[in-house]
Amino acid sequence: MLELACCCGTAACSLCCKCCPKIKQSTSTRFMYALYFILVTIICCVMMSTTVANEMKTHIPFYKQMCKGIQAGEMCEKLVGYSAVYKVCFGMACFFFLFFLFTIKINSSKSCRAYIHNGFWLIKLIVLAAMCSGAFFIPDQDTFLNAWRYVGATGGFLFIAIQLILLVEFAHKWNKNWTAGANHKQVWNGLLALVTLILYSIAVAALVLMALFYTRSEGCMYNKVLIGVNGGLCLFVSLVAISPCVQNRQPHSGLLQSGVISCYVMYLTFSALSSKPPETILDENNRNITICVPEFSQGLHRDENLVTGLGTTILFGCILYSCLTSTTRASSEALRGIYATAETEVARCCFCCVPDGDADAEEHVEKRGGQTVVYDEKKGTVYSYAYFHFVFFLASLYVMMTVTHWFHYESAQIEKFFTGTWSIFWIKMVSCWVCVGLYLWTLIAPLCCPTREFSV
């Protein structure tokens, strides 16, 4: 009965095992939506895999007859490739977008719409499957795919932009929180200095290693210029952050934030250089040799299945983490420019894991023979339902574009996921510069608009 109430009713989902730690209803709900997201993402990866397609042809009896029976083509060609991924992600994106519209301005978990958001999981799974399947029956497929590609690119870029905005907000929040602690205990000053030193050490070490392994005396001009430009940008924003004019308007500005941004810029630079198509030259024996990449990386890419499997798992794990951490109430308020005041800041080592709101002030615990469920939304919602679904809508588009290699979709395969393409290279590079631009704007905005009040 409990499983039925979870799947077809409004009860929160939980595990059957009593030994599992208690789970909040809000966490349980987000976990279930994330599970749906992971399921569809795995299906998309399978659809882009030529290895899986060949194995199915070899080991599934009556494969050809089955494909004809479901009208998927003679060898199920309609169920593989970039067009199939576009259609499946169209269904998932529509699912989250409809829930985004459905959950706008829900402030109480006791409303009918909130009950639907927090329950009826089996029905939702059926609806999601129906939407993903129904996309294969859209008429005029060529027009649909061309139009949907631009929608996907726009949504993917917007998803990246939100993550960059929240990264800058995270850096400012971290510094403000620990600076608030330094006003009462000097140990926080020591922690600030230590972490700042570590961050800059990582950034400088990354810059030196990229200069050693991704450049050579002749050639590699792209790599030399980009490493120099991005290193210079990190130095520039660090100097701006501690300049007297910025310090006068923003006393909380410091090297901790610029250290976080510098590390992320170095990561994106490394990721972009790794995603660049290889450069080749002729050696003295007139043989093509690859330059501007570390020699050891060529050996790592020999086992393509291992690299692809491990890399894909890490990448989509990061996407899922970004979705869940950017859907808290604090994150959605940060995007609207609402921040905690300095007086209410309480310094914590793990400040980013503070519970949402005051929902825990009046918890209702329910033990139902399995995992204990804590109903933490008795007073009101602890996160924005609509914003949660909107972020997953954008993440669906980002996954679609990432799996299909963005603008190199026709030759895309999951086995070649880490093969360099110019589109992925420039997307990462532009993301790097946008991140620096966003952070720089938070520093100089109070100087450019002195009559406006800025809070970070």
Side-chain angles (χ1 to χ4, degrees):
M1 289 300 294
L2 295 177
E3 290 78 5
L4 187 63
C6 166
C7 294
C8 303
T10 61
C13 278
S14 61
L15 299 176
C16 298
C17 185
K18 286 185 178 181
C19 62
C20 293
K22 64 182 180 180
I23 186 170
K24 296 179 181 178
Q25 181 194 26
S26 60
T27 304
S28 168
T29 297
R30 285 179 278 191
F31 173 79
M32 288 301 297
Y33 283 113
L35 200 60
Y36 289 170
F37 179 81
I38 292 171
L39 177 63
V40 177
T41 300
I42 291 173
I43 292 172
C44 291
C45 291
V46 169
M47 286 178 163
M48 291 300 297
S49 174
T50 54
T51 303
V52 172
N54 292 332
E55 288 294 319
M56 290 174 65
K57 292 176 187 176
T58 305
H59 294 95
I60 297 179
F62 311 110
Y63 180 79
K64 195 171 182 179
Q65 292 83 344
M66 183 186 70
C67 291
K68 289 181 179 179
I70 61 175
Q71 299 180 350
E74 187 171 341
M75 298 301 290
C76 286
E77 59 268 15
K78 292 183 180 179
L79 298 180
V80 296
Y82 80 92
S83 62
V85 172
Y86 276 24
K87 295 165 191 172
V88 170
C89 287
F90 173 78
M92 178 166 67
C94 287
F95 175 81
F96 283 115
F97 188 73
L98 288 175
F99 267 97
F100 158 68
L101 297 176
F102 182 73
T103 55
I104 288 175
K105 292 189 176 180
I106 292 182
N107 298 314
S108 171
S109 62
K110 296 180 180 179
S111 68
C112 294
R113 291 187 295 157
Y115 282 134
I116 294 173
H117 167 79
N118 290 313
F120 302 99
W121 296 108
L122 179 60
I123 297 173
K124 287 176 187 172
L125 182 60
I126 294 172
V127 170
L128 176 61
M131 287 184 166
C132 293
S133 303
F136 286 86
F137 300 96
I138 295 175
D140 196 359
Q141 293 281 323
D142 292 338
T143 304
F144 161 72
L145 293 175
N146 289 330
W148 185 238
R149 184 177 305 119
Y150 290 107
V151 174
T154 304
F157 289 136
L158 188 54
F159 180 78
I160 294 172
I162 287 177
Q163 303 313 309
L164 294 177
I165 292 171
L166 292 177
L167 174 71
V168 173
E169 183 266 339
F170 166 82
H172 281 296
K173 184 178 178 182
W174 186 0
N175 187 76
K176 179 188 281 188
N177 187 270
W178 283 21
T179 303
N183 296 330
H184 306 287
K185 293 183 180 179
Q186 289 301 312
V187 68
W188 292 105
N189 278 325
L191 281 174
L192 273 169
L194 177 62
V195 172
T196 302
L197 179 62
I198 292 172
L199 289 172
Y200 274 101
S201 299
I202 293 172
V204 171
L207 186 67
V208 172
L209 289 173
M210 283 188 288
L212 287 174
F213 290 112
Y214 285 93
T215 63
R216 51 183 288 165
S217 56
E218 298 178 1
C220 306
M221 187 56 63
Y222 261 119
N223 295 10
K224 291 175 183 176
V225 170
L226 292 171
I227 291 172
V229 167
N230 291 349
L233 287 174
C234 292
L235 177 62
F236 176 68
V237 295
S238 299
L239 294 175
V240 171
I242 58 174
S243 62
C245 53
V246 171
Q247 288 288 314
N248 288 337
R249 291 301 303 267
Q250 295 192 65
H252 291 293
S253 175
L255 291 176
L256 178 65
Q257 300 102 306
S258 52
V260 172
I261 300 302
S262 297
C263 282
Y264 191 69
V265 166
M266 289 297 105
Y267 159 72
L268 282 180
T269 305
F270 162 74
S271 183
L273 294 177
S274 303
S275 303
K276 190 166 70 71
E279 296 181 38
T280 58
I281 60 171
L282 292 175
D283 62 5
E284 60 273 7
N285 298 319
N286 288 326
R287 293 179 303 179
N288 282 326
I289 59 171
T290 303
I291 61 171
C292 308
V293 293
E295 293 183 4
F296 57 82
S297 69
Q298 299 179 40
L300 288 175
H301 281 279
R302 286 172 187 164
D303 191 349
E304 290 187 348
N305 291 334
L306 175 62
V307 172
T308 300
L310 182 61
T312 305
T313 302
I314 294 172
L315 175 65
F316 289 113
C318 292
I319 293 173
L320 186 62
Y321 175 78
S322 297
C323 290
L324 294 177
T325 55
S326 61
T327 53
T328 60
R329 184 170 294 280
S331 297
S332 59
E333 289 178 345
L335 290 173
R336 303 198 305 271
I338 303 172
Y339 301 92
T341 59
E343 292 77 11
T344 60
E345 284 285 349
V346 178
R348 297 177 178 86
C349 286
C350 193
F351 68 93
C352 54
C353 298
V354 181
D356 291 304
D358 330 297
D360 288 335
E362 189 179 312
E363 294 182 341
H364 169 62
V365 179
E366 183 174 305
K367 298 179 180 180
R368 305 177 306 177
Q371 187 180 24
T372 303
V373 177
V374 178
Y375 286 85
D376 59 332
E377 295 188 306
K378 302 298 287 184
K379 284 188 173 181
T381 59
V382 300
Y383 64 101
S384 170
Y385 292 174
Y387 177 64
F388 172 84
H389 288 294
F390 185 69
V391 169
F392 268 90
F393 161 70
L394 296 179
S396 303
L397 301 178
Y398 180 75
V399 164
M400 179 184 81
M401 299 305 294
T402 304
V403 170
T404 58
H405 287 195
W406 287 84
F407 301 108
H408 291 79
Y409 50 89
E410 291 182 344
S411 59
Q413 296 176 13
I414 201 69
E415 287 81 4
K416 298 180 180 179
F417 193 71
F418 292 95
T419 302
T421 62
W422 284 112
S423 60
I424 296 176
F425 167 77
W426 283 115
I427 285 168
K428 291 178 179 179
M429 266 303 160
V430 171
S431 298
C432 175
W433 298 331
V434 170
C435 182
V436 173
L438 287 171
Y439 174 61
L440 189 61
W441 173 247
T442 63
L443 297 178
I444 65 174
L447 302 176
C448 298
C449 309
T451 57
R452 289 188 59 185
E453 183 176 346
F454 293 88
S455 176
V456 290

